[in-house]
């Protein structure tokens, strides 16, 4: 069976092999979460610093290796990078069963972060290389859905396994064995897609007039002008020139990174602070777990229906998502019962679930050189992990100013609702800009 890519076709098994990579990318840190409260019993004399290192260091390791993976994709075989990353990931999962101290757990978790960091950009990058247009958007939506549903299922598995031996939750880190076995089918990706040729500047990408004029007078060839000085490309919407450096459209890079950073921040608040909010309202741990699961299910769902959502909402897609996310956060502040919290989790999760794959797709459009698509994805994806790492510091820093005694468990959500309201206003004002515009090719 063949699957249409928009520029040809690949076999279904090749597509399944690419999809299977997404099963692993959201799992780091998951198996450790249930045991954090019992670390002092598992490892007596565990220090607070060691616990902080166990939760923070893996995410910090992911960030540089996400960027390294994008850089390596320019000169190394992408399939080999995937295989090496999966091998490191799987080896880490196995090593957890031999850990005998907190130091062992910290070192192994860092190794897991390295493997995952190398893998993350290629889970989306291989799809971005292989598919184009609406086919690429659909596949990136499915990729987002798969990674999120894998997280939901793995969360339940970890919770169930946590009632036995403390090592059992680490079984979820053996999942990379699946894409590692299927990696043989990645050879079905056309070589022209895996190694897209670098492009020379097109007629609408040109050096600054002043520099080009001086260079032409001096007899410098046109190609050398483009190679040595910053170039510009016209924005499709307003025709204004945008700086291009090393194949990256600079204004698009920073705008996309900023938006993705904020959207991730606005969403991760739910994971971090919902338990405290719900417990202060007298709800049980079971209720907290259900709302969290519903939230991740809501994030997963849009990935599989993204083309229909975009076709229905068109140019208002991201405006609607911003409003829905803001509405969900406001409900979390106002609602003090389980039913309202479930509805709020669905709204926030659904909005983020639409935003995420569309940002992935736009990441492939911040470069003028298709050979750098994976590197572009790596740069944008790094914003996610930076956001996850710094969100507690941002919230706690502002909380110390506005709620110094930490009396209000709703503070993170009140702050978030204000910021999302401002963000929604920005989306409406700049709805025709690159980041928020929905191209007609999507529908």
């Amino acid at each position: 069976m063949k699957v249409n890519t928009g520029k040809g076709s690949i076999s279904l098994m090749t597509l399944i092999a690419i999809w299977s990579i997404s099963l692993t990318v959201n799992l780091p840190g998951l198996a450790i979460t249930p045991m954090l409260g019992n670390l002092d019993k598992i490892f007596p004399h565990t220090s607070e610093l060691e616990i902080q290192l166990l939760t923070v260091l893996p995410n910090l390791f992911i960030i540089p290796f996400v960027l390294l993976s994008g850089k390596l994709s320019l000169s190394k075989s992408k399939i080999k990078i995937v295989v090496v990353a999966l091998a490191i990931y799987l080896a880490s999962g196995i090593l957890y069963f031999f850990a005998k101290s907190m130091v062992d757990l910290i070192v192994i978790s860092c190794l897991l972060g390295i493997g995952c960091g190398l893998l993350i950009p290629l889970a989306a990058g291989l799809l971005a290389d292989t598919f184009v247009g609406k086919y690429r958007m659909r596949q990136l939506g499915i990729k987002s859905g798969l990674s999120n549903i894998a997280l939901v299922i793995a969360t339940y598995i970890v919770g169930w396994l946590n009632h036995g031996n403390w090592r059992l939750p680490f079984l979820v880190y053996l999942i990379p064995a699946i894409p590692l076995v299927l990696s043989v089918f990645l050879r079905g990706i056309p070589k022209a897609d895996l190694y897209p040729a670098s492009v020379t500047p097109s007629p609408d990408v040109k050096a600054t007039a002043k520099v080009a004029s001086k260079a032409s007078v001096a007899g410098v060839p046109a190609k050398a002008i483009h190679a040595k000085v910053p170039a510009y490309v016209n924005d499709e919407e307003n025709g204004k020139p945008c700086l291009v450096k090393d194949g990256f459209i600079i204004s698009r890079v920073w705008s996309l990174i900023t938006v993705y950073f904020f959207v991730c921040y606005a969403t991760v608040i739910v994971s971090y602070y919902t338990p405290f909010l719900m417990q202060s309202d007298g709800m049980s741990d079971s209720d907290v777990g259900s709302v969290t699961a519903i939230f991740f299910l809501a994030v997963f769902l849009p990935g599989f229906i993204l083309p229909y959502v975009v076709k229905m909402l068109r140019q208002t897609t991201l405006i609607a998502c911003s409003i829905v996310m803001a509405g969900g956060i406001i409900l979390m502040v106002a609602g003090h019962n389980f039913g309202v919290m479930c509805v709020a989790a669905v709204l926030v999760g659904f909005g983020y679930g639409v935003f995420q794959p569309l940002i992935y797709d736009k990441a492939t459009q911040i470069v003028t050189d298709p050979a750098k698509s994976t590197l572009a994805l790596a740069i944008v994806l790094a914003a996610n992990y930076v956001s996850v790492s710094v969100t507690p510091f941002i919230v706690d820093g502002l909380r110390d100013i506005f709620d110094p005694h930490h009396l209000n468990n709703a503070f993170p959500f009140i702050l978030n609702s204000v910021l999302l309201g401002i963000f929604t206003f920005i989306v409406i004002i700049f709805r025709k800009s690159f980041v928020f515009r929905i191209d007609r090719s999507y529908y």
Side-chain angles (χ1 to χ4, degrees):
M1 182 177 175
K2 295 292 184 179
V3 179
N4 191 349
T5 65
K7 53 183 175 181
S9 62
I10 58 173
S11 71
L12 179 60
M13 284 307 301
T14 297
L15 180 57
I16 290 174
I18 301 175
W19 281 346
S20 68
I21 299 171
S22 298
L23 299 176
T24 65
V25 296
N26 283 352
L27 302 184
L30 175 63
I32 289 172
T33 303
M35 60 182 285
L36 290 178
N38 298 317
L39 281 174
D40 57 337
K41 299 175 184 176
I42 299 170
F43 301 112
H45 312 300
T46 297
S47 68
E48 186 176 342
L49 175 61
E50 287 175 321
I51 295 175
Q52 289 174 339
L53 289 176
L54 184 59
T55 55
V56 172
L57 271 184
N59 276 331
L60 293 181
F61 267 79
I62 284 175
I63 296 168
F65 281 91
V66 162
L67 298 173
L68 177 62
S69 178
K71 193 70 175 176
L72 289 175
S73 69
L74 297 177
S75 57
K76 306 294 181 182
S77 167
K78 294 176 184 177
I79 295 177
K80 287 182 179 178
I81 298 172
V82 168
V83 172
V84 169
L86 286 169
I88 295 172
Y89 201 139
L90 183 58
S92 303
I94 295 171
L95 286 173
Y96 274 117
F97 291 93
F98 299 94
K100 296 180 180 179
S101 68
M102 270 295 292
V103 174
D104 290 345
L105 284 181
I106 292 169
V107 172
I108 296 168
S109 294
C110 290
L111 187 63
L112 184 77
I114 291 172
C116 190
L118 290 172
L119 199 59
I120 286 168
L122 290 164
L126 292 178
L127 291 172
D129 290 339
T130 309
F131 293 83
V132 295
K134 62 181 181 182
Y135 301 96
R136 180 176 60 205
M137 182 195 70
R138 181 180 296 118
Q139 291 301 326
L140 289 173
I142 293 173
K143 174 252 179 266
S144 178
L146 285 171
S147 60
N148 287 307
I149 193 61
L151 178 61
V152 173
I153 295 171
T155 300
Y156 274 109
I157 292 174
V158 165
W160 179 65
L161 292 174
N162 190 48
H163 296 296
N165 187 297
W166 67 269
R167 298 178 190 270
L168 289 180
F170 293 110
L171 284 170
V172 296
Y173 293 146
L174 303 184
I175 290 176
I178 298 172
L180 193 59
V181 170
L182 293 174
S183 63
V184 65
F185 294 103
L186 295 178
R187 297 174 184 173
I189 301 175
K191 289 186 176 180
D193 294 337
L194 280 174
Y195 309 102
S198 295
V199 296
T200 55
S202 59
D204 60 339
V205 179
K206 54 188 178 180
T208 59
K210 185 177 180 180
V211 175
S213 175
K214 289 183 177 180
S216 62
V217 171
V220 179
K223 289 183 178 179
I225 297 173
H226 289 298
K228 295 179 181 179
V229 302
Y232 290 82
V233 60
N234 285 336
D235 183 84
E236 298 97 326
E237 188 64 32
N238 54 31
K240 293 181 179 179
C242 300
L243 177 65
V244 178
K245 187 176 181 181
D246 296 327
F248 286 84
I249 304 173
I250 302 302
S251 60
R252 291 185 179 183
V253 172
W254 285 111
S255 58
L256 199 61
I257 287 175
T258 303
V259 168
Y260 195 36
F261 177 91
F262 176 77
V263 171
C264 291
Y265 155 80
T267 309
V268 80
I269 288 289
V270 177
S271 302
Y272 281 164
Y273 296 101
T274 296
F276 303 106
L277 180 65
M278 292 182 66
Q279 287 167 1
S280 68
D281 287 332
M283 285 177 257
S284 67
D285 290 342
S286 176
D287 290 337
V288 173
S290 297
V291 169
T292 303
I294 288 170
F295 168 72
F296 284 117
L297 282 171
V299 174
F300 132 78
L301 181 61
F304 294 96
I305 61 171
L306 185 62
Y308 306 102
V309 173
V310 172
K311 189 173 182 179
M312 180 175 65
L313 298 176
R314 302 200 174 191
Q315 296 299 326
T316 63
T317 300
L318 295 182
I319 296 175
C321 289
S322 302
I323 294 172
V324 163
M325 290 174 67
I329 295 295
I330 292 171
L331 271 182
M332 285 189 166
V333 176
H336 299 283
N337 64 71
F338 177 69
V340 174
M341 294 299 290
C342 288
V343 173
V346 168
L347 292 176
V348 179
F350 191 89
Y352 178 71
V354 174
F355 250 108
Q356 188 181 58
L358 289 176
I359 287 176
Y360 290 166
D361 187 75
K362 286 181 178 293
T364 66
Q365 301 170 42
I366 63 176
V367 288
T368 58
D369 185 349
K372 295 185 176 180
S373 292
T374 301
L375 177 57
L377 277 161
I379 292 170
V380 173
L381 285 165
N384 175 32
Y385 293 92
V386 173
S387 179
V388 169
S389 300
V390 304
T391 290
F393 299 102
I394 294 174
V395 174
D396 291 344
L398 292 173
R399 196 176 206 175
D400 289 339
I401 297 172
F402 297 105
D403 182 25
H405 300 294
H406 293 202
L407 298 176
N408 187 358
N409 285 314
F411 174 81
F413 298 90
I414 295 171
L415 172 65
N416 214 17
S417 62
V418 173
L419 294 177
L420 273 169
I422 296 171
F423 178 71
T424 301
F425 182 72
I426 291 172
V427 175
I428 293 171
I429 296 298
F430 295 98
R431 62 189 179 277
K432 294 183 179 181
S433 66
F434 164 73
V435 178
F436 304 121
R437 182 175 66 240
I438 300 298
D439 295 333
R440 292 183 181 277
S441 60
Y442 286 172
Y443 52 84

